Amino acid sequence: MPELPEVEVTRLGLRDALRGSRIDGVHQGKPLRWPLGCPPQQLHGERIDDVERRGKYLLLPLQHGELIVHLGMSGSLRWLAAGTAPPPGAHDHFALLTDRGELRMRDPRRFGAVVWHAARAAPHALLAALGPEPLGAGFDGAVLQRALRGRSAAVKTLLLDQRIVAGVGNIYACEALHRAGIDPRRAGGEISAARCARLAEALRATLSEAVAAGGSTLRDFAAADGAHGCFQHAARVYDRAGLPCPACGAAVLRITQGQRSTYFCAHCQRR
Ligand SMILES: [Zn+2]
């Protein structure tokens, strides 16, 4: 599933092509998770002012309103310069046709969506409840501890809650907890200020390294230029059950928390 680094890599890959382009048409395939929310013709003539990101959402501010893109489980975006676009394939369910080329969304499982939002002044319901940006300037241990305060659920499960921290998914939650030396089963509200500071730093480091590496987590995910990222090879614990922990050599364990797999080292990660 695309997490923050994949969306950020997509944003960086699309920014130069899309910024300042004009929407001339919209292609819609099968329905996505949520409807567009406006007649497609309403987007004709709109200029795309920028490409931004909030959590796992990609935002395209327009002259009037904005488009909110979510890649769901298996979505990916591709930029096809003018004159190079092959006909849409069976899994290409949305495209913005611009004066410079085409932004095409491929989404075999159709959990992704492109949603129009009229007024940027008030955040869209999808974005209103999102927690702090882990790569944002203000994110630190104090912010994280405040978000976890009073919560008895396991910290790993809480990190996946987009209201606690925006953009973190299963892979980077496992990796950051290993890096911070925190047991994923520990109650979120019981983590000390010092360890929250370590965890906040570990989240920032893990996510920014993944962005730098071209951040890919899913075989279906392709960066905006079509190249696959390579962060997966650098995982310390994620999807490494039974393999040696890179820090101590003990076997990495896999448990299930909230119906998701958690990978961790019982020796390095303490309660
Ligand atoms: Zn270890």
Side-chain angles (χ1 to χ4, degrees):
M1 182 185 306
E3 299 187 23
L4 185 155
E6 289 72 33
V7 180
E8 179 65 11
V9 167
T10 300
R11 185 185 79 81
L12 295 170
L14 294 173
R15 193 178 45 185
D16 288 348
L18 278 180
R19 199 154 50 183
S21 67
R22 186 191 65 231
I23 298 172
D24 290 336
V26 175
H27 162 79
Q28 290 179 290
K30 288 186 183 161
L32 292 164
R33 182 170 176 186
W34 300 301
L36 178 60
C38 74
Q41 304 85 317
Q42 192 179 317
L43 300 177
H44 294 188
E46 286 279 352
R47 195 184 60 234
I48 299 171
D49 283 335
D50 206 351
V51 184
E52 301 171 358
R53 181 189 58 75
R54 178 79 173 95
K56 299 179 192 175
Y57 294 94
L58 202 67
L59 310 178
L60 303 179
L62 309 173
Q63 287 158 290
H64 307 94
E66 69 182 336
L67 288 171
I68 302 171
V69 182
H70 193 258
L71 298 174
M73 305 283 287
S74 59
S76 60
L77 292 169
R78 224 170 11 140
W79 172 254
L80 300 156
T84 67
H91 298 302
D92 295 331
H93 297 303
F94 189 89
L96 289 177
L97 316 175
T98 80
D99 57 336
R100 295 184 194 157
E102 182 177 335
L103 176 67
R104 190 175 283 188
M105 183 167 172
R106 182 175 186 277
D107 189 358
R109 299 182 65 180
R110 293 193 283 126
F111 283 104
V114 180
V115 174
W116 181 73
H117 176 218
R120 295 202 87 211
H124 189 275
L126 290 170
L127 310 179
L130 289 179
E133 279 294 320
L135 294 181
F139 186 74
D140 60 12
V143 169
L144 184 58
Q145 193 177 31
R146 205 156 40 238
L148 295 173
R149 185 172 294 157
R151 304 296 296 266
S152 57
V155 60
K156 155 69 195 314
T157 305
L158 291 171
L159 286 179
L160 300 187
D161 183 339
Q162 301 300 296
R163 296 167 294 186
I164 302 267
V165 193
V168 177
N170 206 27
I171 295 177
Y172 301 105
C174 292
E175 294 292 300
L177 284 166
H178 180 265
R179 199 166 183 134
I182 296 171
D183 189 309
R185 298 165 292 187
R186 174 99 193 196
E190 288 174 7
I191 298 176
S192 69
R195 299 180 95 206
C196 279
R198 275 221 300 281
L199 181 53
E201 187 45 47
L203 282 166
R204 291 178 74 98
T206 307
L207 293 167
S208 47
E209 283 171 18
V211 171
S216 180
T217 59
L218 185 77
R219 278 167 280 280
D220 285 348
F221 174 82
D225 63 356
H228 286 264
C230 54
F231 173 73
Q232 205 166 9
H233 304 299
R236 300 171 180 214
V237 288
Y238 182 81
D239 204 19
R240 289 177 50 84
L243 295 171
C245 164
C248 76
V252 171
L253 302 179
R254 186 186 79 85
I255 57 172
T256 301
Q257 293 180 293
Q259 284 115 48
R260 309 290 302 275
S261 288
T262 296
Y263 299 88
F264 72 111
C265 171
H267 181 254
C268 293
Q269 294 175 249
R270 299 302 179 94
R271 284 175 177 265

